[in-house]
Amino acid sequence: MADLQRQIGRQWMVWYGHHTRHWWAMPCPPYPWFGLIEGRTPADLLARVREVQACHRPGGTR
C-alpha cells in the first residue's frame, strides 16, 4: 500500500476495504474536488485518481 500511496501522492488518502475487497482514495483538503474513488485493483484506483487529477488540479480553475 505504501507504493500505491507514493504513486498517488500525499494529497490523497488511500486504503483497502477489507469488507468491500476494493481499494479506495479520497483527496485531502483543500483539494478542489471532494469525493471517494473506488478501484478493484491498485492499478485501477491509480487510473481513476489520475482521471480526477486531470480534471481538477489544485489551484486550477475547475
Side-chain angles (χ1 to χ4, degrees), residues 6-55:
R6 274 192 299 278
Q7 290 178 25
I8 289 177
R10 294 182 355 186
Q11 293 178 331
W12 293 81
M13 180 184 300
V14 175
W15 69 94
Y16 179 75
H18 292 281
H19 293 287
T20 62
R21 299 190 188 274
H22 287 197
W23 290 88
W24 296 85
M26 180 177 76
C28 299
Y31 201 83
W33 179 85
F34 186 75
L36 292 174
I37 298 176
E38 178 183 11
R40 291 180 180 257
T41 65
D44 185 35
L45 182 68
L46 181 59
R48 292 174 188 267
V49 167
R50 296 292 185 234
E51 288 174 10
V52 170
Q53 288 174 330
C55 293

